[in-house]
Amino acid sequence: MNLHDSERVSGVLGSCGCIEVASPDEADIVVFMTCCVREKADTHLYGQVSAMVSAPVPPSGRRLVAIGGCIAQRDGENIRKHMKNVDVVFGTRAISSLPELLVGALEGNGKSVQADVSEDDPGFSSDLPSRRETPWHAWVPIMTGCNNFCSYCIVPYVRGRERDRVFEDIVDEVSRLREDGVREVCLLGQNVNSFGRQRYGSPRFAELLRAVGETGIERIRFTSSHPKDLSPETILAMAETPAVMPQLHLAVQSGSTRVLKAMNRHYSREDYLALTDQIKSAMPGIALSTDIIVGFPGETEEDFEQTLSLVKEVGFESAFTFIYSKRPGTPAAEIDDPTPREVIQERFDRLAELVAQQAFDANQVEFSRTVEALVEGVSKRDGDVLVGHSPKNKTVHFRAPEGVEPDSLIGKLVEVKVEEARTWYLRGPMVGEPR
Ligand code: SAM
Ligand code: SF4
């Protein structure tokens, strides 16, 4: 969601004539897009913003610093008062105000901070221009905000309540993207499965998936899905829409029903297992991935072992694993927890080891198969190696065949014969013609 917000910021500034530069040192305007889901991101931001004070002055002689997104929404007043080198603060609902705020800052000549952290909804930010990072992949927001109030999570407080985008606008945008040469879209929302729930009789996520599939776009992914709202109709729509990739990210958070209750997740371990069974029988071979929090206040060794056993039982092929981070203002932040940090770290390491083992095992299934990869770019480590993702969202590495310019393959769909199946990637030669 933050990546996409950054694309919108870039699009809004681009439509005012701004261009991107290679490094913040050269920039007249630096915008920090922020996240406060976990504490680490918080601390990074303040260090990076302070570092701008000593950065070289750009050729124009003046640099404007803006802070946007979740931290701006949460800490707007504090930033205004205490961060002297910040000119503009704009919250999660104020991307469209950014040009006006920047002009205000220029005219005020650094005398006051321009801020918009209003909670009023100015409309869906997707109606703003967007400058996509890649021409072949696009994030397509379908809803924003969250009504779930999981007890550990800050998102509903900083992004507000759920708001759906208009069904037809989403489908039209995907059609336009397809005409522009986009091959893959990722439908975006904090809980895409609740799309359409706000208005009685309006089309739901299952219908949206089918309609997006009918645009002819080649690959559809979506994130995030809340298990409590993943309906049988959606599972059927996934199975019956060929462009929906055989992959699902379905955050479980914990394998213990007791902890899930304390997290306010509204499903039990058994509900989650029954749901993943339904998914697997509707789409055999689907790659399931998840989010897991370790060390939620009061988590016992027994609770944690239930998480390990659920990871095995579901057979997740990958997982984002997080150590619980206390977020002031959320209900979980009020719960005292005597569990020592080392115990939580040791649990986290055991989970990470299990996830890596399962990722490795799942990748062995791909060995000697031919997988299709959408080529995204060259590897950061080796400029001769191209990187893409398979339908199951596995990273695929390959070298361009003799005589083929690697850059010419970026944005293409290619077939790769898997000759090496490692924990986090598949590798092999490209076979056949790119398309
Ligand atoms: N809406 C998405 C969902 O429910 O699947 C998740 C959005 S949240 C920004 C991404 C992930 O961050 C969550 O699934 C959770 O695992 C993790 N997370 C959220 N709050 C956290 C916290 N206080 N400490 C650690 N991890 C957290
Ligand atoms: Fe946070 Fe829960 Fe909403 Fe996801 S569903 S954004 S974890 S409150």
Side-chain angles (χ1 to χ4, degrees):
M1 189 62 90
N2 278 20
L3 274 177
H4 176 70
D5 281 352
S6 300
E7 291 183 342
R8 296 279 170 202
V9 165
S10 186
V12 166
L13 294 181
S15 68
C16 304
C18 296
I19 53 160
E20 250 178 71
V21 286
S23 118
D25 287 355
E26 298 165 39
D28 300 317
I29 301 170
V30 174
V31 183
F32 289 90
M33 290 303 288
T34 63
C35 168
C36 60
V37 168
R38 285 172 294 277
E39 195 180 356
K40 217 168 167 184
D42 263 7
T43 33
H44 276 174
L45 171 76
Y46 292 106
Q48 287 184 348
V49 174
S50 308
M52 282 320 295
V53 176
S54 48
V57 178
S60 66
R62 172 90 204 271
R63 173 178 296 121
L64 295 175
V65 174
I67 301 189
C70 300
I71 298 182
Q73 187 70 43
R74 188 196 59 188
D75 293 352
E77 269 313 304
N78 266 337
I79 296 172
R80 273 170 83 134
K81 281 194 198 129
H82 302 298
M83 299 195 72
K84 297 293 173 220
N85 64 328
V86 173
D87 302 283
V88 167
V89 180
F90 63 107
T92 49
R93 280 145 276 191
I95 294 178
S96 59
S97 316
L98 183 58
E100 210 179 303
L101 296 168
L102 288 166
V103 170
L106 261 185
E107 288 171 352
N109 213 9
K111 292 205 183 72
S112 67
V113 179
Q114 301 291 307
D116 182 352
V117 288
S118 147
E119 296 190 355
D120 298 342
D121 185 3
F124 210 87
S125 74
S126 312
D127 300 329
L128 300 174
S130 168
R131 187 149 65 190
R132 291 197 315 275
E133 280 197 351
T134 56
W136 55 88
H137 172 275
W139 303 106
V140 177
I142 65 164
M143 50 96 64
T144 176
C146 182
N147 291 351
N148 288 313
F149 290 93
C150 300
S151 64
Y152 50 82
C153 185
I154 195 79
V155 169
Y157 305 90
V158 289
R159 288 205 176 254
R161 297 297 87 73
E162 283 178 13
R163 281 151 288 150
D164 285 346
R165 192 174 172 197
V166 175
F167 183 94
E168 291 76 15
D169 290 356
I170 301 167
V171 179
D172 285 352
E173 182 177 3
V174 176
S175 295
R176 269 184 280 120
L177 289 167
R178 184 185 156 258
E179 282 160 20
D180 283 357
V182 169
R183 326 273 320 243
E184 177 175 296
V185 291
C186 183
L187 308 178
L188 209 53
Q190 292 301 342
N191 178 13
V192 293
N193 299 131
S194 73
F195 178 84
R197 197 171 51 180
Q198 288 161 29
R199 244 175 297 144
Y200 180 75
S202 38
R204 302 290 311 264
F205 186 59
E207 284 144 289
L208 182 67
L209 269 186
R210 291 182 191 275
V212 168
E214 278 164 20
T215 64
I217 194 90
E218 287 158 288
R219 286 177 161 207
I220 303 170
R221 302 188 195 275
F222 54 88
T223 197
S224 301
S225 282
H226 196 305
K228 77 176 167 52
D229 296 313
L230 182 57
S231 66
E233 292 79 15
T234 295
I235 296 175
L236 198 63
M238 288 172 68
E240 292 179 353
T241 307
V244 172
M245 293 288 98
Q247 163 256 322
L248 178 66
H249 188 81
L250 191 63
V252 66
Q253 313 298 2
S254 168
S256 152
T257 297
R258 195 188 69 78
V259 173
L260 288 168
K261 195 155 196 292
M263 288 177 161
N264 196 30
R265 290 289 289 180
H266 295 282
Y267 54 86
S268 64
R269 171 192 176 87
E270 290 68 32
D271 294 336
Y272 189 92
L273 287 170
L275 182 63
T276 46
D277 280 348
Q278 282 170 36
I279 296 165
K280 287 186 233 172
S281 43
M283 287 161 280
I286 188 167
L288 293 171
S289 57
T290 197
D291 288 353
I292 296 170
I293 297 177
V294 178
F296 182 81
E299 178 192 74
T300 62
E301 176 60 24
E302 199 189 341
D303 291 321
F304 176 68
E305 279 171 14
Q306 293 208 13
T307 297
L308 292 180
S309 81
L310 179 130
V311 168
K312 289 184 202 155
E313 211 168 316
V314 175
F316 292 118
E317 302 200 6
S318 69
F320 293 124
T321 52
F322 309 104
I323 287 185
Y324 168 74
S325 171
K326 185 174 181 167
R327 302 289 65 209
T330 60
E334 305 298 316
I335 312 172
D336 282 332
D337 187 18
T339 316
R341 179 83 196 174
E342 309 80 76
V343 171
I344 294 173
Q345 184 64 51
E346 187 265 341
R347 284 180 195 157
F348 181 82
D349 295 344
R350 274 153 71 199
L351 175 63
E353 197 179 320
L354 175 63
V355 169
Q357 182 61 51
Q358 289 193 187
F360 179 81
D361 293 346
N363 277 357
Q364 302 318 301
V365 175
E366 305 296 319
F367 183 75
S368 89
R369 285 187 180 163
T370 298
V371 296
E372 184 192 66
L374 176 58
V375 187
E376 286 141 32
V378 291
S379 157
K380 284 190 190 116
R381 291 210 188 133
D382 181 346
D384 289 337
V385 172
L386 286 147
V387 183
H389 278 89
S390 74
K392 289 186 187 173
N393 214 18
K394 291 174 188 290
T395 305
V396 179
H397 289 179
F398 68 100
R399 280 176 198 280
E402 274 299 305
V404 177
E405 187 52 45
D407 282 356
S408 71
L409 294 173
I410 296 175
K412 297 265 163 52
L413 285 161
V414 302
E415 301 285 333
V416 172
K417 176 97 193 311
V418 179
E419 291 185 348
E420 215 183 308
R422 297 286 180 97
T423 305
W424 303 122
Y425 65 87
L426 307 170
R427 186 198 280 267
M430 180 181 133
V431 291
E433 291 302 312
R435 60 178 188 89

mmCIF file of all heavy atoms in Angstrom, residues 336-351:
data_model
loop_
_atom_site.group_PDB
_atom_site.id
_atom_site.type_symbol
_atom_site.label_atom_id
_atom_site.label_comp_id
_atom_site.label_asym_id
_atom_site.label_seq_id
_atom_site.Cartn_x
_atom_site.Cartn_y
_atom_site.Cartn_z
ATOM 1 N N ASP A 336 0.290 -6.503 29.782
ATOM 2 C CA ASP A 336 1.660 -6.719 30.267
ATOM 3 C C ASP A 336 2.131 -8.089 29.828
ATOM 4 O O ASP A 336 1.342 -9.037 29.814
ATOM 5 C CB ASP A 336 1.696 -6.664 31.799
ATOM 6 C CG ASP A 336 1.654 -5.224 32.254
ATOM 7 O OD1 ASP A 336 2.126 -4.365 31.485
ATOM 8 O OD2 ASP A 336 1.117 -4.973 33.352
ATOM 9 N N ASP A 337 3.399 -8.198 29.503
ATOM 10 C CA ASP A 337 3.907 -9.500 29.104
ATOM 11 C C ASP A 337 5.274 -9.743 29.713
ATOM 12 O O ASP A 337 6.237 -9.074 29.372
ATOM 13 C CB ASP A 337 3.998 -9.575 27.570
ATOM 14 C CG ASP A 337 4.355 -10.986 27.129
ATOM 15 O OD1 ASP A 337 4.189 -11.912 27.930
ATOM 16 O OD2 ASP A 337 4.814 -11.140 25.980
ATOM 17 N N PRO A 338 5.335 -10.728 30.607
ATOM 18 C CA PRO A 338 6.625 -10.988 31.259
ATOM 19 C C PRO A 338 7.577 -11.835 30.418
ATOM 20 O O PRO A 338 8.716 -12.067 30.805
ATOM 21 C CB PRO A 338 6.209 -11.758 32.523
ATOM 22 C CG PRO A 338 4.937 -12.452 32.139
ATOM 23 C CD PRO A 338 4.272 -11.632 31.076
ATOM 24 N N THR A 339 7.146 -12.299 29.222
ATOM 25 C CA THR A 339 8.013 -13.214 28.452
ATOM 26 C C THR A 339 9.317 -12.512 28.076
ATOM 27 O O THR A 339 9.292 -11.442 27.447
ATOM 28 C CB THR A 339 7.298 -13.667 27.143
ATOM 29 O OG1 THR A 339 5.956 -13.987 27.461
ATOM 30 C CG2 THR A 339 7.996 -14.854 26.507
ATOM 31 N N PRO A 340 10.474 -13.118 28.457
ATOM 32 C CA PRO A 340 11.747 -12.461 28.130
ATOM 33 C C PRO A 340 11.962 -12.368 26.621
ATOM 34 O O PRO A 340 11.541 -13.240 25.861
ATOM 35 C CB PRO A 340 12.811 -13.380 28.750
ATOM 36 C CG PRO A 340 12.072 -14.279 29.677
ATOM 37 C CD PRO A 340 10.658 -14.368 29.190
ATOM 38 N N ARG A 341 12.631 -11.321 26.214
ATOM 39 C CA ARG A 341 12.921 -11.044 24.801
ATOM 40 C C ARG A 341 13.649 -12.230 24.131
ATOM 41 O O ARG A 341 13.374 -12.593 23.000
ATOM 42 C CB ARG A 341 13.785 -9.772 24.759
ATOM 43 C CG ARG A 341 14.223 -9.310 23.406
ATOM 44 C CD ARG A 341 13.156 -8.486 22.732
ATOM 45 N NE ARG A 341 13.483 -8.394 21.304
ATOM 46 C CZ ARG A 341 12.734 -7.856 20.381
ATOM 47 N NH1 ARG A 341 11.570 -7.343 20.705
ATOM 48 N NH2 ARG A 341 13.090 -7.815 19.123
ATOM 49 N N GLU A 342 14.586 -12.859 24.896
ATOM 50 C CA GLU A 342 15.373 -13.973 24.317
ATOM 51 C C GLU A 342 14.458 -15.140 23.968
ATOM 52 O O GLU A 342 14.673 -15.831 22.978
ATOM 53 C CB GLU A 342 16.449 -14.518 25.272
ATOM 54 C CG GLU A 342 17.373 -13.520 25.908
ATOM 55 C CD GLU A 342 16.728 -12.825 27.098
ATOM 56 O OE1 GLU A 342 16.610 -13.421 28.184
ATOM 57 O OE2 GLU A 342 16.320 -11.656 26.909
ATOM 58 N N VAL A 343 13.427 -15.350 24.800
ATOM 59 C CA VAL A 343 12.510 -16.473 24.534
ATOM 60 C C VAL A 343 11.760 -16.196 23.224
ATOM 61 O O VAL A 343 11.608 -17.073 22.366
ATOM 62 C CB VAL A 343 11.514 -16.647 25.717
ATOM 63 C CG1 VAL A 343 10.425 -17.643 25.381
ATOM 64 C CG2 VAL A 343 12.271 -17.056 26.968
ATOM 65 N N ILE A 344 11.330 -14.951 23.053
ATOM 66 C CA ILE A 344 10.584 -14.595 21.834
ATOM 67 C C ILE A 344 11.503 -14.714 20.613
ATOM 68 O O ILE A 344 11.111 -15.252 19.577
ATOM 69 C CB ILE A 344 9.995 -13.173 21.977
ATOM 70 C CG1 ILE A 344 8.928 -13.198 23.084
ATOM 71 C CG2 ILE A 344 9.404 -12.683 20.665
ATOM 72 C CD1 ILE A 344 8.386 -11.839 23.458
ATOM 73 N N GLN A 345 12.733 -14.251 20.770
ATOM 74 C CA GLN A 345 13.686 -14.329 19.654
ATOM 75 C C GLN A 345 13.936 -15.790 19.275
ATOM 76 O O GLN A 345 13.987 -16.140 18.089
ATOM 77 C CB GLN A 345 15.009 -13.636 20.041
ATOM 78 C CG GLN A 345 16.029 -13.576 18.914
ATOM 79 C CD GLN A 345 15.554 -12.728 17.726
ATOM 80 O OE1 GLN A 345 15.139 -11.597 17.907
ATOM 81 N NE2 GLN A 345 15.578 -13.305 16.524
ATOM 82 N N GLU A 346 14.064 -16.636 20.304
ATOM 83 C CA GLU A 346 14.354 -18.054 20.046
ATOM 84 C C GLU A 346 13.152 -18.693 19.312
ATOM 85 O O GLU A 346 13.316 -19.454 18.360
ATOM 86 C CB GLU A 346 14.641 -18.727 21.391
ATOM 87 C CG GLU A 346 15.135 -20.153 21.324
ATOM 88 C CD GLU A 346 14.002 -21.162 21.465
ATOM 89 O OE1 GLU A 346 12.902 -20.795 21.959
ATOM 90 O OE2 GLU A 346 14.193 -22.304 21.064
ATOM 91 N N ARG A 347 11.931 -18.298 19.694
ATOM 92 C CA ARG A 347 10.738 -18.819 18.991
ATOM 93 C C ARG A 347 10.748 -18.337 17.545
ATOM 94 O O ARG A 347 10.482 -19.095 16.613
ATOM 95 C CB ARG A 347 9.444 -18.321 19.671
ATOM 96 C CG ARG A 347 9.149 -19.040 20.942
ATOM 97 C CD ARG A 347 7.848 -18.499 21.557
ATOM 98 N NE ARG A 347 7.761 -18.950 22.938
ATOM 99 C CZ ARG A 347 7.038 -18.357 23.873
ATOM 100 N NH1 ARG A 347 6.315 -17.290 23.593
ATOM 101 N NH2 ARG A 347 7.015 -18.833 25.089
ATOM 102 N N PHE A 348 11.057 -17.060 17.400
ATOM 103 C CA PHE A 348 11.079 -16.474 16.051
ATOM 104 C C PHE A 348 12.064 -17.245 15.154
ATOM 105 O O PHE A 348 11.752 -17.576 14.014
ATOM 106 C CB PHE A 348 11.476 -14.997 16.155
ATOM 107 C CG PHE A 348 11.514 -14.309 14.827
ATOM 108 C CD1 PHE A 348 10.358 -13.826 14.244
ATOM 109 C CD2 PHE A 348 12.716 -14.160 14.139
ATOM 110 C CE1 PHE A 348 10.387 -13.200 13.008
ATOM 111 C CE2 PHE A 348 12.750 -13.538 12.896
ATOM 112 C CZ PHE A 348 11.586 -13.055 12.339
ATOM 113 N N ASP A 349 13.248 -17.553 15.707
ATOM 114 C CA ASP A 349 14.269 -18.264 14.917
ATOM 115 C C ASP A 349 13.781 -19.663 14.539
ATOM 116 O O ASP A 349 14.003 -20.113 13.413
ATOM 117 C CB ASP A 349 15.591 -18.359 15.697
ATOM 118 C CG ASP A 349 16.207 -16.981 15.927
ATOM 119 O OD1 ASP A 349 15.792 -16.019 15.242
ATOM 120 O OD2 ASP A 349 17.086 -16.860 16.809
ATOM 121 N N ARG A 350 13.099 -20.324 15.493
ATOM 122 C CA ARG A 350 12.583 -21.669 15.172
ATOM 123 C C ARG A 350 11.555 -21.592 14.051
ATOM 124 O O ARG A 350 11.526 -22.413 13.144
ATOM 125 C CB ARG A 350 11.921 -22.288 16.407
ATOM 126 C CG ARG A 350 12.914 -23.013 17.299
ATOM 127 C CD ARG A 350 12.438 -23.015 18.722
ATOM 128 N NE ARG A 350 11.291 -23.877 18.971
ATOM 129 C CZ ARG A 350 10.501 -23.748 20.050
ATOM 130 N NH1 ARG A 350 10.720 -22.805 20.942
ATOM 131 N NH2 ARG A 350 9.487 -24.558 20.227
ATOM 132 N N LEU A 351 10.705 -20.576 14.117
ATOM 133 C CA LEU A 351 9.686 -20.420 13.069
ATOM 134 C C LEU A 351 10.354 -20.123 11.720
ATOM 135 O O LEU A 351 9.995 -20.715 10.691
ATOM 136 C CB LEU A 351 8.714 -19.297 13.443
ATOM 137 C CG LEU A 351 7.674 -18.956 12.386
ATOM 138 C CD1 LEU A 351 6.745 -20.144 12.109
ATOM 139 C CD2 LEU A 351 6.833 -17.744 12.805
#
